């Protein structure tokens, strides 16, 4: 079997002697890395992306953009294996049209993201950032913080991440309500979760955490209209995708006091710049899209992505991981 080339693109995976590298090499791949470690941030031009992938038949992908122009210019590319569950930077229709399998890592990072959402929720509710600054400056204000126990958490999207968050929140004494098109009814019943529509969720929740995919239906979901339906003094947490929020509308709600605060791991434009006006607000806690980035989940995302590539290389379909599964019939390496 001739040796194929696989690019490992995510910055944190570059040059690492980890299990995902061995999975690819054992499957017969030559493993290469980007010429520029920032390649995966999605800031390169289409021509730069094409040049970087010109030798590749597979890629463990980070945040680079895979447009119709890019995919069509890479006739040797067989698999785009996303290290993560989001694939909004991949033109799925183009991948399907060119018979390129698009895979995700559905079982690798959900617990990490759920933990990060809780960290942001706690950080905002307990005023971790401003109180840290006060204490370091020798100030000693006895400001009031928000409780977690006995409050209502509304989860938008009860997939793996949403369910992981729900079980943790319930253990802390929160009441969980959720909106989800395709709920796991057994999980919902076992944990006593109320399934409600979006308006009801927004109106009842003390904390709202967003965990739905970004698509044309959900883009700008958190906007002036939906924020107005949220309980006054509520907290917004978004560890999903920045495109789900309208940041102009969110800033207005945070400045007016309609929202108590927000914990954000994602932004409309990434990477962010220091000039983002959200960073000037004392009731906002932010992080640079690292929700899925703990050491355990990073390793498992790499392994799961590599295993998808290896399986496809050897004619085995990775069940539950291929987004454009309609190409399965007749697909071959």
């Amino acid at each position: 079997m001739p040796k194929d080339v696989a690019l490992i693109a995510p910055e944190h995976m570059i040059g690492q002697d980890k299990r995902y590298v061995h999975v690819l090499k054992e499957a017969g791949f030559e493993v290469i890395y980007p010429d520029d470690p920032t390649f995966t941030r999605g800031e390169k031009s289409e021509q730069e992306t094409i040049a970087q992938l010109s030798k590749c038949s597979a890629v463990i992908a980070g945040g680079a953009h895979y447009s119709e122009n890019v995919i069509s210019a890479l006739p040797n590319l067989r698999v785009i294996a996303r290290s993560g569950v989001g694939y909004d930077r991949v033109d799925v229709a183009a991948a399907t049209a060119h018979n390129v399998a698009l895979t995700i890592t559905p079982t690798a990072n959900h617990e990490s993201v759920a933990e990060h959402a809780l960290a942001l929720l706690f950080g905002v509710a307990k005023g971790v950032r401003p109180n840290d600054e006060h204490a370091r400056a020798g100030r000693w204000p006895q400001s009031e913080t928000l409780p977690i126990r006995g409050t209502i958490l509304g989860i938008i999207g009860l997939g793996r991440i949403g369910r992981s968050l729900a079980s943790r929140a319930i253990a802390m004494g929160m009441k969980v309500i959720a909106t989800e098109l395709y709920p796991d009814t057994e999980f919902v019943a076992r944990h006593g979760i109320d399934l409600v529509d979006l308006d009801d969720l927004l109106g009842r929740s003390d904390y709202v955490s967003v965990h739905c995919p970004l698509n044309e239906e959900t883009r700008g979901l958190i906007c002036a209209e939906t924020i107005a339906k949220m309980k006054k003094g509520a907290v917004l947490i978004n560890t999903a995708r920045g495109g789900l929020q309208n940041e102009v509308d969110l800033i207005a709600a945070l400045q007016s006091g309609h929202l108590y605060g927000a914990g954000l791991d994602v932004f409309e434009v990434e990477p962010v710049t220091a000039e983002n006006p959200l960073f000037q607000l004392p009731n906002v806690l932010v992080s640079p899209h690292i929700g899925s980035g703990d050491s355990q989940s990073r390793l498992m995302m790499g392994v799961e992505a590599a295993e998808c590539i290896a399986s496809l290389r050897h004619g085995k379909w990775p069940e539950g991981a291929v987004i454009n599964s309609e190409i399965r019939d007749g697909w071959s390496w």
Side-chain angles (χ1 to χ4, degrees):
M1 201 177 274
K3 183 167 285 191
D4 288 291
V5 176
L7 175 74
I8 298 180
E11 288 177 66
H12 63 273
M13 295 184 184
I14 294 175
Q16 299 294 311
D17 185 25
K18 296 289 179 71
R19 184 175 152 201
Y20 42 81
V21 177
H22 298 286
V23 168
L24 291 173
K25 288 183 176 179
E26 288 167 8
F29 286 91
E30 176 190 350
V31 174
I32 65 171
Y33 302 98
D35 299 327
D36 179 350
T38 68
F39 166 74
T40 196
R41 297 183 185 182
E43 300 174 310
K44 301 298 183 182
S45 68
E46 290 183 332
Q47 287 306 311
E48 289 173 310
T49 301
I50 291 166
Q52 185 66 76
L53 291 161
S54 61
K55 299 187 295 184
C56 299
S57 52
V59 55
I60 295 182
H65 294 272
Y66 294 83
S67 64
E68 161 66 34
N69 289 339
V70 168
I71 294 171
S72 64
L74 298 169
N76 295 322
L77 187 64
R78 307 301 297 121
V79 184
I80 299 170
R82 273 283 294 121
S83 175
V85 295
Y87 50 90
D88 46 284
R89 293 192 175 187
V90 180
D91 186 328
V92 180
T96 302
H98 293 281
N99 214 28
V100 176
L102 168 61
T103 69
I104 59 172
T105 57
T107 66
N109 69 353
H110 53 290
E111 292 178 307
S112 176
V113 179
E115 290 172 356
H116 198 76
L118 275 181
L120 291 173
L121 189 154
F122 267 94
V124 175
K126 302 305 181 183
V128 171
R129 175 192 165 196
N131 284 310
D132 176 87
E133 292 174 354
H134 288 315
R136 289 174 186 272
R139 299 186 295 268
W140 210 248
Q142 300 298 292
S143 55
E144 190 172 85
T145 61
L146 297 182
I148 304 296
R149 66 200 179 282
T151 61
I152 297 177
L153 171 64
I155 300 177
I156 302 176
L158 203 60
R160 282 188 176 89
I161 297 171
R163 293 195 300 271
S164 293
L165 176 61
S167 60
R168 287 161 171 78
I170 290 166
M172 296 188 304
M174 302 182 85
K175 168 64 179 176
V176 173
I177 63 177
T179 179
E180 168 61 43
L181 292 176
Y182 308 104
D184 180 334
T185 54
E186 189 277 331
F187 178 90
V188 168
R190 175 157 43 94
H191 291 280
I193 296 170
D194 291 344
L195 290 177
V196 299
D197 63 26
L198 181 61
D199 286 356
D200 192 15
L201 181 145
L202 295 173
R204 291 173 56 189
S205 300
D206 300 295
Y207 301 89
V208 173
S209 194
V210 184
H211 298 286
C212 58
L214 175 63
N215 53 44
E216 290 311 307
E217 287 71 38
T218 60
R219 188 174 298 278
L221 175 69
I222 304 302
C223 61
E225 180 182 356
T226 51
I227 292 171
K229 297 174 181 177
M230 292 176 68
K231 183 187 294 188
K232 181 175 172 55
V235 172
L236 175 72
I237 305 296
N238 187 2
T239 55
R241 285 292 185 269
L244 295 166
Q245 64 202 18
N246 180 312
E247 290 181 7
V248 171
D249 294 349
L250 178 56
I251 288 166
L254 289 163
Q255 288 176 327
S256 72
H258 180 71
L259 293 184
Y260 178 89
L264 307 173
D265 187 45
V266 291
F267 304 88
E268 282 188 288
V269 177
E270 296 181 3
V272 293
T273 65
E275 289 71 38
N276 189 316
L278 281 165
F279 299 166
Q280 310 308 314
L281 301 181
N283 53 345
V284 175
L285 187 63
V286 299
S287 55
H289 203 154
I290 58 167
S292 64
D294 73 26
S295 58
Q296 184 175 346
S297 69
R298 280 184 168 180
L299 173 61
M300 295 315 299
M301 283 190 292
V303 171
E304 203 167 321
E307 287 177 344
C308 283
I309 294 170
S311 293
L312 288 163
R313 179 68 181 89
H314 294 295
K316 298 177 183 178
W317 198 258
E319 298 290 348
V322 184
I323 295 302
N324 53 345
S325 57
E326 61 268 35
I327 70 173
R328 180 173 185 170
D329 291 340
W331 191 91
S332 65
W333 193 267

